[in-house]
Amino acid sequence: MAGYAFSRTRFASRKAPFTLTVAAVLVPPQMLIVPWFQQMLTLNLVDTYVAVILPQTVAPVMVFILKRHFDSLPRELEEAAPIDGAGRPKRCSP
């Protein structure tokens, strides 16, 4: 979601958070292993696939890669989506 927000929305001082995200790529992943484990322990997710996938989805590298991907998509696709019946993602009610 952060990659999409950095790519498609315009907001004040957008470059500062993106610069911090790119700078966070410089943090070695070995420094984050213990905090990730403690967080997964707190969430009772140890020894699950979610514990492997979750930290990687919010990794700064993924935000950068997804921003570059959304930058490569033409804006016309997003403008044409409502014509085809698509809408903004909404929370589904049960």
Side-chain angles (χ1 to χ4, degrees):
M1 286 190 232
Y4 180 81
F6 285 136
S7 177
R8 297 294 185 188
T9 59
R10 302 285 177 240
F11 53 91
S13 69
R14 174 174 78 128
K15 295 203 182 244
F18 184 67
T19 303
L20 287 172
T21 302
V22 172
V25 173
L26 300 174
V27 176
Q30 292 85 355
M31 286 180 54
L32 301 174
I33 290 174
V34 172
W36 279 339
F37 179 76
Q38 290 174 339
Q39 188 175 25
M40 294 306 129
L41 197 62
T42 303
L43 296 172
N44 295 325
L45 294 175
V46 177
D47 292 334
T48 64
Y49 286 120
V50 176
V52 176
I53 297 168
L54 187 63
Q56 299 306 316
T57 59
V58 295
V61 174
M62 291 307 299
V63 172
F64 179 72
I65 289 172
L66 288 172
K67 182 200 178 299
R68 298 290 296 181
H69 172 71
F70 288 126
D71 287 344
S72 71
L73 295 175
R75 290 192 184 268
E76 289 81 18
L77 286 176
E78 193 171 343
E79 293 168 1
I83 295 170
D84 291 335
R88 294 265 181 207
K90 297 178 184 172
R91 183 179 176 137
C92 296
S93 59

